[in-house]
Amino acid sequence: MSLISYVQVAEDDPAFRAPTKPIGPYYAAAEAARFAWPMVSTPRGFRRVVASPEPLTVVEKDEIQRLVEMDFIVVCCGGGGIPVTREGRAFHGVDAVIDKDLASACLGREVGVDTLVIATDVAGVATGFGTAGETFLRQLDAARAEQLLAAGEFPPGSMGPKVEAAVRFVREGGTRAVICHLDEIGAAVAGTAGTEITGGTT
């Protein structure tokens, strides 16, 4: 079952003051100059950037939990969900993009799942990625993962958010998080593939 998901963010989130998430088409410099939007230069041209605020809660979390308890497979939080701010009983959409991995960790915590699986296009987490010293990490505890994140070992545009989401999940009550290849989800859940991150509650 597919469910459109609204994800609440804070209206005063610092990300709104410094948009960084590129979206939409690429523009030549002359075209980009016509827009009032914040833009960023890339090798392919200019792109609009929007904020990427922290997910606070998934609005439909109770409905999602009930559907899971009824044995539905729920497809939700697509693309990180639809970002909204709350004013009383009303929600208002905002120009932003929520990181899908952080949104998934938030939802996992809220519905009380034990395992978070983040599927991607590589076998798992590695230090020295893309270098001669690349080392695949089969097991990683939350504290070590945080150290490697702080050291800049995982790029912010790729593996960084995945590791951060995994750490948050186990720090906030989840038993384990696994980052794995799309083709190895079953094996990762079984504990024989991917990078398993644990040790959130010490």
Side-chain angles (χ1 to χ4, degrees):
M1 171 178 289
S2 297
L3 187 69
I4 295 174
S5 315
Y6 293 86
V7 179
Q8 184 180 343
V9 301
E11 190 173 357
D12 59 353
D13 190 299
F16 287 110
R17 296 194 294 271
T20 58
K21 191 74 172 180
I23 63 168
Y26 294 88
Y27 298 97
E31 291 179 295
R34 295 190 293 109
F35 298 110
W37 303 324
M39 306 287 280
V40 63
S41 177
T42 77
R44 294 177 58 188
F46 287 83
R47 293 182 80 189
R48 180 185 180 187
V49 288
V50 296
S52 185
E54 291 283 325
L56 300 179
T57 184
V58 178
V59 175
E60 297 82 9
K61 58 185 177 294
D62 293 335
E63 290 79 6
I64 292 169
Q65 185 168 26
R66 284 197 289 270
L67 287 167
V68 170
E69 290 169 353
M70 294 167 64
D71 291 330
F72 283 94
I73 296 175
V74 185
V75 180
C76 54
C77 291
I82 300 171
V84 296
T85 57
R86 183 164 194 162
E87 185 177 335
R89 294 174 62 101
F91 292 98
H92 304 280
V94 291
D95 281 339
V97 173
I98 301 172
D99 181 84
K100 58 185 179 298
D101 300 311
L102 296 181
S104 297
C106 178
L107 177 63
R109 179 193 73 236
E110 293 186 315
V111 301
V113 300
D114 294 324
T115 301
L116 173 70
V117 177
I118 299 177
T120 183
D121 60 354
V122 294
V125 179
T127 55
F129 183 74
T131 70
E134 179 177 313
T135 303
F136 175 71
L137 304 174
R138 179 69 187 84
Q139 300 277 343
L140 195 58
D141 67 46
R144 180 59 177 155
E146 288 174 326
Q147 290 174 352
L148 293 171
L149 273 169
E153 192 66 55
F154 311 126
S158 55
M159 189 55 72
K162 294 172 174 52
V163 174
E164 183 180 350
V167 169
R168 287 192 192 186
F169 178 74
V170 297
R171 287 288 193 207
E172 295 172 359
T175 302
R176 59 194 282 261
V178 185
I179 300 172
C180 67
H181 193 279
L182 282 163
D183 296 334
E184 298 181 320
I185 294 174
V189 172
T192 59
T195 299
E196 182 174 85
I197 298 176
T198 57
T201 52
T202 56

